[in-house]
Amino acid sequence: MDNKPQFVSTFIELYRTFPCLWKVKDDSYHNKRLKDDAYNKLLAYYQITIPSATIDTVKRKINNLKSTFRKELKKVSKYEFILFYDSFWIITSQIGFVAVGCTSLSLHR
């Protein structure tokens, strides 16, 4: 299953090693060949768990992770008056690097 915490955690760490996929201001972000290579490496990892996975499967997984992160980020900012908000989504702190490299995600409202 592709939603096991260990799988997701390792997938995110591997994704993090490819700034060409998430760091908008990086020169490699606009390099299609580098992006294709990165997606293929992510796909190779993904296919260990789900052999029928494709590049589209990997892209959907990344989009789902980003979407879930944005929802959690919105909850945190909504409850910012509370001193401590404990996210139910265990991966929130791990994928936070995407907010730093992406102009469409913001850590503040």
Side-chain angles (χ1 to χ4, degrees):
M1 181 107 212
D2 70 332
N3 286 324
K4 289 185 178 177
Q6 183 60 43
F7 173 82
V8 174
S9 180
T10 305
F11 183 81
I12 290 171
E13 287 306 313
L14 185 59
Y15 176 63
R16 185 181 196 153
T17 65
F18 301 114
C20 62
L21 298 178
W22 58 267
K23 197 170 188 180
V24 177
K25 293 185 179 184
D26 194 87
D27 292 336
S28 63
Y29 184 79
H30 300 288
N31 188 327
K32 182 172 174 22
R33 191 179 49 164
L34 277 178
K35 283 184 162 187
D36 289 343
D37 289 344
Y39 280 126
N40 283 321
K41 289 177 183 171
L42 288 169
L43 176 62
Y45 173 73
Y46 208 96
Q47 286 178 330
I48 293 170
T49 305
I50 302 174
S52 61
T54 65
I55 295 287
D56 286 335
T57 309
V58 170
K59 289 179 179 181
R60 277 196 310 274
K61 184 66 172 179
I62 291 168
N63 285 334
N64 287 341
L65 290 169
K66 286 181 178 180
S67 176
T68 303
F69 175 73
R70 280 191 293 270
K71 288 176 188 174
E72 286 297 311
L73 194 61
K74 190 180 272 189
K75 286 180 191 177
V76 169
S77 65
K78 179 179 179 184
Y79 297 111
E80 67 186 355
F81 60 90
I82 297 175
L83 294 176
F84 180 74
Y85 171 77
D86 188 20
S87 174
F88 289 106
W89 193 51
I90 198 165
I91 306 297
T92 301
S93 63
Q94 194 174 13
I95 198 163
F97 69 91
V98 173
V100 174
C102 184
T103 57
S104 65
L105 295 176
S106 174
L107 292 174
H108 306 286
R109 282 189 220 173

